[in-house]
Amino acid sequence: MKKLLSFVTLASLLLFVACQDDETKSKETPSNIPGMGNAGGELQAESYEFNEDLTFDEIVGIGATELAESLKSTTSDDVVITGSAYGSGDQVVVTLTITNNNTEDCRSAWLRAGTVFASSLTGVQNAILLAPVNVCIPPSATKSFVLHLYCLNLGMDNPDGNDSYEMLGVTTSEPVLKLINALAFKKVNFEHYEAYPEVEGGLTYTGVRSKLQDMIWKITNGGGLVQTDYDFIATIPDLPDGVLPEYIYDLEYTNLPDCWCIDECNVVTNSGALSNVVFFVACSQTPYAEYEGQYYNPDGFPFVVSSGFSDPNYDGEYEDILDFSRAIKFEAPNEEEYGSTPPQLGEDGSIDVGIFEFITSCQDEQIYVRTKNKDEIISLIDVTQVGEAVLMTNGFMVEFLSVVDNGDNSYTYKFRIISDSCGGN
């Protein structure tokens, strides 16, 4: 069921700080907030609960250089960190791994706006999430993903793989909560701009991200926000109705949907099983699959693999760009090929996940992907950033998981495709 949005007032947001004593609050002025900037002390936060079916592994930091260099691996043991990307910010990047222990139903992990993360190491930046994140996890599944956050300590070190973080809850700092309130239901996160790329006035995700980091530092290390900051926030587009639950900004409202797979439901205009997926690469040689003939991905969905094929009937928008001789196609087999009618990815309308691997003779920066159910949809995905994802309007989410240098002038790419599901809303 599609939810209607309601804008949350500052008074409502300040329910978060109800238990904070008056003396502490009186000291909470810009540049004087515990755990932020150079103020010293520990971050103050109001904790909240997740669905009881979810368990969390350790939250580990990733250095920006680490992310970039991982794509230049030279040994087969050097595997790029897997996962999809959520949140916003480029100063603090961490990996989260969450397991859904429910064997029948998907579960949503709701990370609230204003959630602060405390570094385990002295001198390393603490971090904050400025907008809510919903990670939808299929039944009996574990999902690892990259979470982008904003830095709360200008001048301190970025995290790396030696640093871990504790997720404390929502900040109780009034100056920071005022910023979060102004951003309520705005397009802030990476996934918002992936799902809804249309913006006005020349705004981009990277531009918004840079402005918001500067605003955080004005609060934590400077004199606070000024009117021009709020004027800029007003220009950030709102999210469409129904993308977030109505009470997502109210910590006292704990009855959030158990399974809210909004990416696979409200954004798309079509649905159905995955007939085939085609990856178009720019390498000089024809790519090939890990396995010849019939291919079974780890989730059990069978596909027949062909590479370097022709498609004389294609006359779509990208006709002058796509080279079918350098493409690899994973196609759901028919009864004659399989011996019976096999289940297809997304056939019953539930959340199905498929993993697709293929090998190329070089590393691409961008790959065109075509998914087909009732419709054929083509989109471009950036494969220089682990966790990049595109949401196809025919109901499939395509995520770039990893690339491995095989050490023999070949590279193995891995993608995840998630079928659409509307049963959870």
Side-chain angles (χ1 to χ4, degrees):
M1 181 180 67
K2 192 173 182 179
K3 303 280 186 178
L4 295 177
L5 300 182
S6 64
F7 194 85
V8 182
T9 64
L10 178 60
S12 174
L13 272 174
L14 292 181
L15 288 170
F16 296 166
V17 299
C19 63
Q20 190 180 14
D21 64 86
D22 292 337
E23 182 180 355
T24 300
K25 287 194 289 186
S26 67
K27 298 177 181 178
E28 295 243 329
T29 56
S31 294
N32 191 27
I33 305 171
M36 302 185 190
N38 299 313
E42 297 181 355
L43 293 170
Q44 304 299 306
E46 179 85 7
S47 63
Y48 58 90
E49 300 294 328
F50 292 90
N51 187 285
E52 62 183 5
D53 291 331
L54 300 176
T55 55
F56 289 70
D57 286 356
E58 183 181 30
I59 302 172
V60 180
I62 314 172
T65 302
E66 219 176 324
L67 277 175
E69 290 298 320
S70 63
L71 288 175
K72 303 175 182 177
S73 59
T74 55
T75 69
S76 58
D77 295 327
D78 233 347
V79 180
V80 173
I81 298 165
T82 64
S84 50
Y86 295 87
S88 178
D90 63 349
Q91 295 293 308
V92 179
V93 184
V94 299
T95 54
L96 270 73
T97 299
I98 307 176
T99 299
N100 175 13
N101 298 295
N102 192 298
T103 59
E104 298 181 355
D105 299 312
C106 69
R107 287 291 178 256
S108 286
W110 294 102
L111 280 66
R112 303 292 192 106
T115 298
V116 287
F117 295 77
S119 170
S120 62
L121 298 179
T122 302
V124 175
Q125 300 164 358
N126 294 325
I128 188 168
L129 181 70
L130 290 187
V133 162
N134 168 34
V135 181
C136 188
I137 307 167
S140 299
T142 296
K143 184 163 187 176
S144 295
F145 60 95
V146 175
L147 184 67
H148 293 259
L149 303 165
Y150 289 94
C151 165
L152 290 171
N153 309 93
L154 177 62
M156 290 191 183
D157 292 337
N158 298 97
D160 58 27
N162 297 316
D163 190 22
S164 62
Y165 278 84
E166 181 181 1
M167 183 165 50
L168 301 179
V170 171
T171 179
T172 57
S173 167
E174 289 188 20
V176 179
L177 286 173
K178 187 176 180 181
L179 170 61
I180 292 168
N181 180 65
L183 291 169
F185 301 108
K186 293 283 189 180
K187 287 173 61 173
V188 173
N189 291 345
F190 166 83
E191 64 269 24
H192 300 160
Y193 288 85
E194 283 293 312
Y196 312 99
E198 301 81 10
V199 293
E200 298 179 358
L203 286 178
T204 63
Y205 164 70
T206 53
V208 170
R209 180 185 67 188
S210 176
K211 286 277 191 180
L212 293 181
Q213 181 62 78
D214 287 343
M215 291 183 199
I216 286 289
W217 285 334
K218 283 184 178 181
I219 295 171
T220 62
N221 294 72
L225 301 185
V226 296
Q227 186 57 46
T228 54
D229 295 315
Y230 292 105
D231 291 342
F232 175 80
I233 290 173
T235 67
I236 300 175
D238 295 330
L239 287 166
D241 290 355
V243 171
L244 294 172
E246 186 176 2
Y247 299 104
I248 186 62
Y249 282 84
D250 185 350
L251 275 191
E252 290 195 348
Y253 188 84
T254 58
N255 191 29
L256 294 171
D258 289 332
C259 179
W260 179 282
C261 297
I262 198 73
D263 284 343
E264 294 84 31
C265 293
N266 292 25
V267 180
V268 302
T269 59
N270 205 342
S271 61
L274 182 67
S275 298
N276 63 66
V277 55
V278 181
F279 298 91
F280 298 90
V281 301
C283 294
S284 58
Q285 299 178 19
T286 301
Y288 51 97
E290 185 75 22
Y291 310 102
E292 296 181 356
Q294 200 169 84
Y295 172 89
Y296 291 83
N297 69 48
D299 287 318
F301 298 97
F303 289 88
V304 175
V305 181
S306 59
S307 59
F309 62 99
S310 62
D311 192 343
N313 297 321
Y314 179 73
D315 58 355
E317 178 183 356
Y318 299 95
E319 185 175 15
D320 296 333
I321 299 174
L322 304 182
D323 184 348
F324 284 88
S325 70
R326 297 178 184 173
I328 185 164
K329 182 179 185 180
F330 296 83
E331 185 167 16
N334 56 35
E335 184 174 353
E336 181 179 342
E337 295 166 320
Y338 188 66
S340 62
T341 302
Q344 295 183 32
L345 187 69
E347 186 174 62
D348 59 359
S350 64
I351 300 174
D352 285 333
V353 180
I355 305 296
F356 299 83
E357 294 182 0
F358 59 86
I359 300 175
T360 68
S361 59
C362 63
Q363 283 187 276
D364 278 324
E365 294 186 355
Q366 295 177 319
I367 290 178
Y368 281 96
V369 182
R370 184 181 78 178
T371 57
K372 184 181 186 305
N373 48 9
K374 302 173 201 173
D375 297 329
E376 288 186 347
I377 301 298
I378 294 175
S379 189
L380 186 65
I381 187 167
D382 182 355
V383 290
T384 63
Q385 293 294 323
V386 172
E388 288 291 302
V390 291
L391 182 63
M392 309 296 219
T393 56
N394 60 353
F396 301 108
M397 178 77 78
V398 181
E399 300 175 339
F400 168 50
L401 294 184
S402 64
V403 60
V404 177
D405 186 335
N406 300 315
D408 57 358
N409 295 319
S410 70
Y411 302 83
T412 299
Y413 282 86
K414 182 184 290 187
F415 288 83
R416 175 193 287 123
I417 295 182
I418 305 173
S419 69
D420 63 318
S421 168
C422 297
N425 284 3

